[in-house]
Amino acid sequence: MVTVGLAIDSMEILRLGIDGQLSVDPSDVETASLDFGLLTRGQPLAVLHPVSAQDISQVVKAVYGSNQVMTVSARGHGHSINGQAQTTNGVVIQMSGRKGGNKPPRPRVWAEERYVDVWGGELWIDVLKSTLEYGLAPKSWTDYLYLSVGGTLSNAGISGQAFNHGPQISNVYELDVVTGQ
């Protein structure tokens, strides 16, 4: 998860028509300002709870097309350290996204084809529960199941199963990459 320096009018970002929720709620901002271990703080202006890649794309596109310097950062379930998922004077994209009425899609298991479609902010425990309903399980997952899929894949996903099935990233068939274009 990378923080990218971008530009936008800070009020313009709040007027975007997205399906998710762009929050300036103090509790959301406070949560997004902390990293694991409480080592650093980065005070965002807003927190995006996306429900689709389109929500993320719209925010990134708006930030790129504006005049003020801001940053955008992706945050899963808050296990990053040293401020990797934080931003000051920008937007934190809360990839867990489970807030409000609209929510990102749950894991969708394709049992016959033996794969699962998963949102990047999904926890591995939820992926495992979804696949077990069909008598399946991921070939390689993290040793701590309360991490997000996107977070572990961003580090290749080295785990206890890697010696036998390769790292998690070697078992990915397809990724949606959001660039804001």
Side-chain angles (χ1 to χ4, degrees):
M1 295 181 199
V2 180
T3 302
V4 181
L6 306 169
I8 192 168
D9 173 341
S10 57
M11 294 315 294
E12 180 184 334
I13 195 99
L14 295 174
R15 291 189 292 270
L16 290 175
I18 58 173
D19 293 327
Q21 180 187 17
L22 193 59
S23 172
V24 292
D25 181 287
S27 66
D28 276 346
V29 171
E30 173 67 17
T31 298
S33 73
L34 302 173
D35 76 339
F36 192 71
L38 307 176
L39 299 174
T40 61
R41 288 184 79 87
Q43 189 74 21
L45 296 174
V47 178
L48 173 64
H49 297 275
V51 297
S52 68
Q54 182 65 29
D55 284 351
I56 298 166
S57 179
Q58 280 185 258
V59 169
V60 172
K61 201 179 293 185
V63 169
Y64 269 121
S66 126
N67 300 337
Q68 283 187 308
V69 174
M70 286 180 62
T71 55
V72 174
S73 184
R75 182 178 196 272
H77 288 269
H79 291 99
S80 326
I81 59 170
N82 296 322
Q84 291 172 314
Q86 296 173 321
T87 185
T88 300
N89 294 324
V91 178
V92 170
I93 300 172
Q94 183 60 56
M95 293 300 296
S96 59
R98 304 265 188 238
K99 183 171 183 154
N102 293 336
K103 298 179 186 330
R106 292 280 180 196
R108 183 172 178 197
V109 179
W110 300 82
E112 219 169 280
E113 294 84 357
R114 300 176 66 85
Y115 73 89
V116 61
D117 284 330
V118 179
W119 175 259
E122 198 69 60
L123 292 175
W124 278 102
I125 187 72
D126 296 324
V127 174
L128 181 60
K129 286 177 184 177
S130 296
T131 57
L132 285 175
E133 291 177 19
Y134 296 88
L136 301 170
K139 283 185 181 181
S140 183
W141 62 80
T142 181
D143 294 331
Y144 179 61
L145 295 175
Y146 290 89
L147 298 174
S148 68
V149 171
T152 61
L153 288 179
S154 71
N155 293 299
I158 305 299
S159 68
Q161 297 87 19
F163 74 95
N164 197 21
H165 299 289
Q168 294 163 3
I169 198 70
S170 294
N171 294 286
V172 172
Y173 294 115
E174 181 180 302
L175 287 171
D176 289 334
V177 178
V178 178
T179 64
Q181 297 296 324

